Amino acid sequence: MIRVAVAHFPPTAAAVPDVRTSTACTLREWSVDSDTVNTVELVVCELTSNAVKASRPEDVVAIRLTATGEYVLVEVRDGNDTAPRIKSPDLFSEDGSGLLMVDALSRRWSWWRVKTGGKVVWAEIPGGLQATPPPTQAATPMPTRTPRVGPQPTAPVVYRTDPETLRRVADALRALDPWHRTPSGRSLPEAVPHRA
């Protein structure tokens, strides 16, 4: 099972706590394990804070949560297409440690540019939806087919997995989904969740 939720909000510091609270409520509603919820809360807070700082007042910040049984994917879109960078924070500064924390808490993270402007920064957090109990009623067995043998290959089949090519293909596929666009005709006084 996969769960997806999208929210749009104005790029104001006041929206960040609402997004964090809404994220935690959504993940608990989906039965995501509590340790993962706590970690995602921290990651969402850092990514949305960065998105708010990077955006102009007329921009809209969008967030998409995707939960599976193995991970929770957090994607945050802002209006600035400058690449995010991990900085070495000053010990006495309150800024600069956000992406360092995201890097430490997530399995992996990256970003991609949106064709209409801006960027999406994403992070994958281990953990996810808790297993649901098996159904009480016996499921109908799936029909099966007898496999047919096809022609043998004339040359050895070799699979190549170039990580850079795979990343570019994955980013291009993600960019095809317009989830980050604001629904037309809607004002954004606060975070507006959309669940699928």
Side-chain angles (χ1 to χ4, degrees):
M1 178 181 289
I2 296 175
R3 300 275 189 160
V4 179
V6 175
H8 299 90
F9 57 95
T12 61
V16 175
D18 293 339
V19 170
R20 183 177 180 168
T21 302
S22 175
T23 296
C25 289
T26 299
L27 295 178
R28 286 189 192 105
E29 194 175 285
W30 291 348
S31 299
V32 171
D33 66 88
S34 59
D35 289 341
T36 303
V37 172
N38 294 336
T39 303
V40 172
E41 274 187 277
L42 293 172
V43 170
V44 162
C45 191
E46 293 303 331
L47 292 181
T48 54
S49 294
N50 290 349
V52 164
K53 290 175 189 170
S55 296
R56 299 167 301 188
E58 64 271 17
D59 290 333
V60 173
V61 177
I63 181 170
R64 178 166 62 179
L65 300 171
T66 305
T68 71
E70 299 175 12
Y71 63 85
V72 175
L73 179 66
V74 177
E75 297 169 281
V76 179
R77 189 257 182 202
D78 64 52
N80 187 328
D81 61 1
T82 304
R85 293 183 293 128
I86 294 181
K87 300 175 188 171
S88 297
D90 179 3
L91 291 175
F92 302 105
S93 173
E94 293 183 17
D95 288 337
S97 62
L99 283 178
L100 198 59
M101 185 183 302
V102 169
D103 187 54
L105 293 174
S106 61
R107 182 180 344 191
R108 57 189 176 161
W109 72 276
S110 189
W111 70 285
W112 48 274
R113 282 192 175 91
V114 178
K115 287 186 179 183
T116 56
K119 68 179 173 297
V120 172
V121 181
W122 61 268
E124 189 179 279
I125 292 87
L129 300 170
Q130 295 179 344
T132 55
T136 54
Q137 190 176 13
T140 306
M142 295 286 291
T144 58
R145 296 187 303 187
T146 305
R148 288 188 281 167
V149 178
Q152 294 297 317
T154 57
V157 177
V158 178
Y159 293 98
R160 291 184 177 85
T161 55
D162 174 32
E164 183 60 27
T165 302
L166 292 175
R167 186 188 64 76
R168 284 197 321 267
V169 169
D171 289 348
L173 290 172
R174 285 188 192 105
L176 294 175
D177 184 3
W179 64 269
H180 51 80
R181 293 192 186 140
T182 309
S184 60
R186 180 176 292 172
S187 61
L188 298 168
E190 56 184 285
V192 182
H194 300 277
R195 294 191 174 100

